[in-house]
């Protein structure tokens, strides 16, 4: 069996009151999750240690998988300790970078969508010399990854303004830069079929960077992105309520988030119908993730609606479009390495065993 590369992300976890530390943690987790999703598509190649104290949970499962006779027993572990070296090792597996704009947090999810669809690594635009963007794209001694997609205007200003037309489309703006960014990605990747319309991912965007509110970095759920990037899923983060503006975009027209969520789900639904001949809504839409109640959209973060009420409202909207919730919720939520576990060879049949008797 070829070598299995390991990478330790445990140092990026925990509560982070310092913005610079949050940026470093987000950038590294986002980059590694996308790289995992891309390189693990065909076979297990990259495994990370992140969840639990010092990556305890991930170390436990790798130990199980390396027991004599187990799936990865013959894998030779080769650790990488530097993100630049990790990227160099897998340079032939991706096409370049997608650069997103921290000023429009929704572009972080757009970057995850493009990472899966176009085999790109997501990088937050940051011209400081020690940022991952500079080290991977600008530094002459670095790998000089080409930028294939940039979610900023050519002059460096925000690409999305919530005015005029949605950039790159003929569609009128929603009045929200956040929603415009999500719809550009939907038009470019979901309506065209470049994303898998049966796989969507509802994960919090980079709003956390400026509004951590005591939420530790592992609850950004970036480590869950690898599985969905591997599946070329569509990422979004939108509130389900039309009767109040979300706390991450309070100036948007009332109901813009909810209307955008419905438009995206409708695109996915229509695309699943077009896959069948004759068209039929037979393919259900698997939506990973969950309402980020600890960061947005609920009374926990200053809204009017309770967390459970918000979950039910979200489920009601999903159900209208033949979609179901495959929940990764804040709590027991963070799961690294799903893109690797998805390569586990399944048996042709798993017969049910008789229940043990009480005798």
């Amino acid at each position: 069996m070829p070598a299995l590369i390991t990478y330790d992300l445990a140092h990026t976890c925990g509560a982070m009151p310092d913005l610079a530390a949050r940026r470093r943690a987000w950038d590294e987790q986002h980059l590694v999750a996308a790289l995992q999703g891309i390189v693990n598509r065909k076979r297990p190649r990259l495994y990370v240690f992140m969840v639990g104290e010092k990556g305890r949970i991930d170390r436990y499962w790798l130990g199980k998988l390396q027991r004599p006779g187990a799936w990865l027993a013959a894998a030779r572990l080769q650790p990488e300790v530097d993100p630049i070296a990790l990227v160099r090792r897998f340079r032939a597996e991706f096409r370049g970078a997608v650069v997103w704009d921290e000023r429009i947090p929704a572009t972080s999810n757009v970057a995850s969508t493009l990472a899966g669809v176009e085999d790109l690594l997501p990088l937050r635009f940051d011209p400081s010399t020690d940022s991952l963007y500079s080290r991977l794209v600008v530094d002459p001694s670095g790998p000089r990854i080409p930028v294939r997609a940039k979610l900023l205007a050519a002059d460096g200003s925000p690409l999305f303004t919530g005015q005029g037309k949605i950039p790159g489309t003929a569609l009128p703006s929603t009045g929200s830069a956040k929603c415009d960014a999500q719809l550009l990605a939907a038009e470019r990747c979901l309506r065209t079929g470049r994303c898998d319309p049966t796989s969507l991912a509802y994960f919090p965007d980079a709003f956390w960077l400026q509004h951590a509110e005591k939420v530790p970095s592992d609850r950004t759920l970036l480590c869950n992105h690898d599985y969905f990037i591997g599946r070329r899923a569509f990422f979004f983060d939108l509130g389900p309520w039309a009767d109040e503006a979300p706390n991450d975009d309070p100036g948007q027209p009332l109901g813009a988030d909810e209307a955008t969520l419905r438009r995206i789900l409708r695109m996915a639904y229509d695309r699943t119908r077009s896959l069948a001949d004759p068209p039929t809504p037979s393919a259900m839409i698997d939506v990973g993730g969950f309402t980020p109640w600890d960061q947005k959209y609920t009374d926990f973060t200053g809204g009017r609606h309770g967390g459970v009420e918000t979950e039910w409202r979200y489920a009601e909207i999903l159900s209208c479009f033949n979609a179901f919730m495959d929940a990764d919720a804040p709590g027991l939520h963070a799961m690294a390495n799903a893109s690797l576990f998805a390569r586990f060879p399944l048996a042709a049949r798993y017969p049910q065993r008789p229940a043990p008797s009480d005798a």
Side-chain angles (χ1 to χ4, degrees):
M1 175 176 284
L4 177 63
I5 309 305
T6 63
Y7 189 80
D8 196 333
L9 278 170
H11 65 280
T12 67
C13 295
M16 297 186 176
D18 179 69
L19 175 59
R22 291 198 297 275
R23 284 170 169 158
R24 288 192 297 269
W26 181 288
D27 291 352
E28 194 168 348
Q29 288 184 25
H30 202 184
L31 172 80
V32 175
L35 187 61
Q36 263 200 306
I38 293 168
V39 305
N40 285 341
R41 278 191 178 127
K42 295 181 179 179
R43 58 181 174 86
R45 303 181 69 186
L46 177 57
Y47 191 92
V48 304
F49 305 119
M50 178 176 162
V51 181
E53 185 180 0
K54 297 183 179 180
R56 173 180 58 85
I57 293 175
D58 299 315
R59 294 179 191 279
Y60 168 82
W61 284 112
L62 183 58
K64 294 272 284 186
L65 293 172
Q66 287 216 291
R67 288 179 177 177
W71 176 38
L72 300 179
R76 293 176 293 105
L77 303 186
Q78 293 187 3
E80 283 288 1
V81 297
D82 177 73
I84 309 304
L86 184 68
V87 167
R88 287 187 190 276
R89 179 181 286 271
F90 290 110
R91 180 60 191 90
E93 307 300 321
F94 61 90
R95 296 180 52 250
V98 48
V99 178
W100 58 275
D101 186 355
E102 181 181 344
R103 295 166 298 182
I104 312 294
T107 59
S108 66
N109 269 340
V110 176
S112 283
T113 297
L114 293 176
V117 171
E118 300 184 7
D119 295 341
L120 304 176
L121 300 185
L123 295 173
R124 179 182 58 87
F125 178 73
D126 182 350
S128 60
T129 56
D130 61 343
S131 71
L132 276 181
Y133 167 79
S134 292
R135 294 172 67 195
L136 289 168
V137 173
V138 181
D139 187 345
S141 65
R144 298 298 296 271
I145 298 172
V147 174
R148 304 293 186 187
K150 194 170 185 179
L151 301 172
L152 294 80
D155 62 0
S157 62
L159 180 62
F160 303 97
T161 63
Q163 300 176 357
K165 293 183 178 180
I166 297 175
T169 78
L171 299 174
S173 170
T174 63
S176 160
K178 171 191 178 183
C179 294
D180 286 358
Q182 297 273 221
L183 284 176
L184 172 65
E187 290 290 330
R188 180 171 172 177
C189 301
L190 196 53
R191 190 185 297 279
T192 59
R194 299 172 71 204
C195 278
D196 179 352
T198 67
S199 181
L200 274 62
Y202 185 12
F203 289 101
D205 63 27
F207 179 71
W208 174 84
L209 287 177
Q210 299 288 343
H211 303 85
E213 306 297 344
K214 299 182 180 179
V215 173
S217 64
D218 55 307
R219 279 190 8 214
T220 64
L221 302 186
L222 282 166
C223 65
N224 296 44
H225 284 216
D226 68 312
Y227 174 78
F228 297 95
I229 287 172
R231 292 190 62 181
R232 298 181 174 87
F234 182 87
F235 286 77
F236 67 93
D237 175 6
L238 295 158
W241 295 109
D243 62 352
E244 64 175 337
N247 59 306
D248 67 334
D249 193 18
Q252 71 171 225
L254 193 63
D257 256 37
E258 191 254 8
T260 303
L261 174 59
R262 289 180 177 274
R263 287 174 70 174
I264 288 170
L265 289 169
R266 182 58 193 242
M267 283 189 206
Y269 172 81
D270 288 344
R271 192 69 195 177
T272 60
R273 285 176 57 86
S274 72
L275 296 176
D277 186 17
T280 174
S282 58
M284 295 196 72
I285 301 169
D286 181 344
V287 189
F290 196 73
T291 50
W293 59 266
D294 57 344
Q295 299 180 50
K296 306 178 182 185
Y297 313 137
T298 68
D299 56 3
F300 189 81
T301 57
R304 294 202 303 267
H305 299 283
V308 174
E309 180 188 11
T310 300
E311 175 192 354
W312 289 354
R313 175 59 176 167
Y314 169 56
E316 178 185 11
I317 294 172
L318 289 183
S319 299
C320 296
F321 299 95
N322 209 33
F324 64 92
M325 189 190 313
D326 185 5
D328 292 324
L332 294 175
H333 58 291
M335 180 181 179
N337 301 302
S339 61
L340 181 139
F341 298 144
R343 306 279 74 80
F344 185 86
L346 299 177
R349 183 169 174 265
Y350 289 91
Q352 184 172 352
R353 298 177 180 176
S357 70
D358 294 332

